[in-house]
């Protein structure tokens, strides 16, 4: 039903789509910045083409996260990056990206206490997004530089995981000691570059989040900023669940449902969800094919299918 309303996208002015595309492009640029922060010897070309290709693969193949990671690993190796370093980059990117994502609903919950709506006008939204980024950066700094808050959050998440495990009859658990150990290992990999890596990871999600905000503005919706953050994070988490490639269909329905619960009309939520997914899901898939062709042109002889 959500997908059947795709014809309503023509009601959105082209300028809004341009703004969404620019925000999504900046989101990917931040990922390339993160990769080069983790591997300073990595060229911008290899960072961009490997990330775009891996992202595209992960969105079109079932269980794509693993296949996408293997694709990026292979491309970095073909480009001359040490395989041990390539594996470390993938692990660090996964940890930083996931941590930044799960900080978003926490920030949204904090903002909800003040009942903050989305401000009117593009400039106030940009200012609000900058404030959100600073908050996410503070969360990252606290998690990296201190242990007690991290242990406290890990324990609370452990309670949630344990409850969810009982519901789904799974032995899910989060050990705070393991969380701290992973944090320490990550800091060891990052060294003095941890602040830059944390900033790049946070900005990646913030720009992608702005795509959804722009989509909501395009349909004249006026929801609360905090609830939109929760809806966005919900959609991003749903995309990680390998029920369908890239969460296709599954994410659209989930994001639509949360937006409706946040007070947006069903019609506005449908159009905004579809506009957001066109820019954040379909366009990156197309760019991945272009990136792969450019990579093969640069490395024609050494490029071979990865053995998975």
């Amino acid at each position: 039903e959500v997908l059947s309303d795709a014809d309503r996208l023509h009601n959105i002015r082209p300028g809004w789509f341009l703004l969404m595309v620019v925000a999504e492009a900046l989101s990917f640029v931040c990922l390339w910045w993160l990769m080069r922060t983790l591997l300073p010897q990595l060229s911008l070309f290899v960072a961009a083409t490997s990330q775009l290709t891996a992202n595209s693969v992960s969105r079109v193949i079932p269980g794509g996260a693993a296949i996408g990671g293997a694709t990026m690993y292979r491309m970095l190796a073909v480009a001359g990056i040490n395989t041990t370093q390539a594996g470390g980059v993938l692990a660090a990117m996964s940890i930083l990206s996931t941590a930044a994502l799960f900080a978003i609903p926490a920030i949204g919950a904090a903002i909800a206490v003040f009942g903050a709506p989305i401000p009117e006008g593009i400039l106030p939204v940009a200012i609000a997004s900058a404030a959100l980024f600073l908050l996410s950066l503070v969360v990252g700094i606290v998690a990296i530089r201190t242990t007690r808050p991290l242990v406290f959050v890990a324990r609370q998440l452990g309670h949630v995981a344990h409850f969810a495990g009982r519901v789904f009859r799974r032995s899910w658990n989060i050990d705070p000691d393991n969380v701290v150990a992973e944090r320490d290992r990550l800091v060891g990999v990052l060294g003095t570059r941890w602040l830059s890596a944390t900033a790049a990871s946070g900005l990646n999600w913030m720009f992608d989040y702005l795509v959804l905000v722009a989509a909501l503005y395009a349909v004249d919706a006026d929801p609360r900023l905090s609830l939109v953050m929760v809806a966005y994070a919900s959609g991003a988490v749903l995309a990680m669940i390998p029920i369908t490639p890239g969460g296709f269909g599954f994410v659209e329905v989930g994001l639509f449902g949360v937006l409706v619960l946040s007070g947006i009309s069903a019609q506005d939520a449908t159009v905004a969800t579809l506009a957001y997914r066109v820019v954040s899901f379909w366009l990156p898939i197309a760019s991945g094919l272009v990136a792969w062709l450019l990579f093969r042109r640069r490395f024609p002889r050494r490029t071979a299918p990865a053995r998975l």
Side-chain angles (χ1 to χ4, degrees):
E1 183 177 355
V2 171
L3 296 176
S4 66
D5 289 331
D7 60 331
R8 295 182 181 177
L9 289 173
H10 75 272
N11 295 326
I12 296 179
R13 294 192 299 272
W16 284 110
F17 276 111
L18 177 61
L19 182 62
M20 287 186 276
V21 169
V22 170
E24 189 66 19
L26 290 173
S27 173
F28 282 109
V29 168
C30 290
L31 280 179
W32 308 338
W33 171 25
L34 175 60
M35 292 179 67
R36 298 196 68 197
T37 299
L38 298 171
L39 275 178
Q41 72 271 31
L42 188 66
S43 69
L44 178 60
F45 174 83
V46 174
T49 53
S50 62
Q51 187 276 322
L52 287 172
T53 303
N55 177 74
S56 182
V57 168
S58 68
R59 291 168 187 251
V60 299
I61 298 177
I67 307 299
T71 299
M72 180 182 289
Y73 178 86
R74 174 60 173 166
M75 292 178 71
L76 292 178
V78 166
I81 302 300
N82 180 276
T83 53
T84 301
Q85 290 180 317
V89 166
L90 290 174
M93 285 184 65
S94 177
I95 294 173
L96 284 169
S97 181
T98 304
L101 171 61
F102 281 96
I104 292 176
I107 296 172
I111 295 177
V113 175
F114 301 97
I118 290 183
E120 297 182 358
I122 295 299
L123 181 59
V125 167
I127 295 174
S129 299
L132 295 175
F133 163 68
L134 292 176
L135 286 173
S136 67
L137 186 61
V138 168
V139 171
I141 292 174
V142 170
I144 287 177
R145 303 296 292 180
T146 63
T147 298
R148 282 189 181 179
L150 186 62
V151 170
F152 173 79
V153 172
R155 284 176 178 168
Q156 304 312 310
L157 291 176
H159 294 322
V160 174
H162 180 69
F163 174 77
R166 292 179 59 185
V167 172
F168 292 99
R169 298 180 180 179
R170 296 288 189 274
S171 58
W172 293 340
N173 186 36
I174 297 177
D175 187 347
D177 293 335
N178 290 339
V179 173
V180 173
E182 285 296 319
R183 189 277 311 270
D184 294 340
R185 185 170 68 87
L186 179 63
V187 172
V189 172
L190 295 177
T192 58
R193 303 182 299 252
W194 64 269
L195 183 59
S196 178
T198 303
S201 182
L203 283 172
N204 162 239
W205 289 112
M206 286 300 107
F207 280 119
D208 189 61
Y209 164 74
L210 279 177
V211 177
L212 179 58
V213 172
L216 290 168
Y217 258 100
V219 298
D220 296 322
D222 186 28
R224 291 191 181 278
L225 178 62
S226 55
L227 295 178
V228 175
M229 294 182 72
V230 174
Y232 169 78
S234 300
V237 171
L238 288 174
M240 297 179 179
I241 302 175
I243 293 180
T244 59
F248 176 68
F250 187 56
V251 172
E252 281 81 357
V253 173
L255 182 58
F256 163 80
V258 178
L259 287 176
V260 170
L261 289 176
S262 69
I264 302 174
S265 69
Q267 180 176 346
D268 288 346
T270 298
V271 179
T273 296
L274 292 174
Y276 168 71
R277 289 290 279 173
V278 165
V279 175
S280 65
F281 181 77
W282 292 106
L283 288 183
I285 289 177
S287 66
L289 176 60
V290 176
W292 170 244
L293 294 174
L294 291 174
F295 184 86
R296 289 195 62 181
R297 185 177 180 181
R298 175 72 66 88
F299 303 97
R301 295 183 180 178
R302 293 185 293 167
T303 304
R307 294 182 179 180
L308 303 176

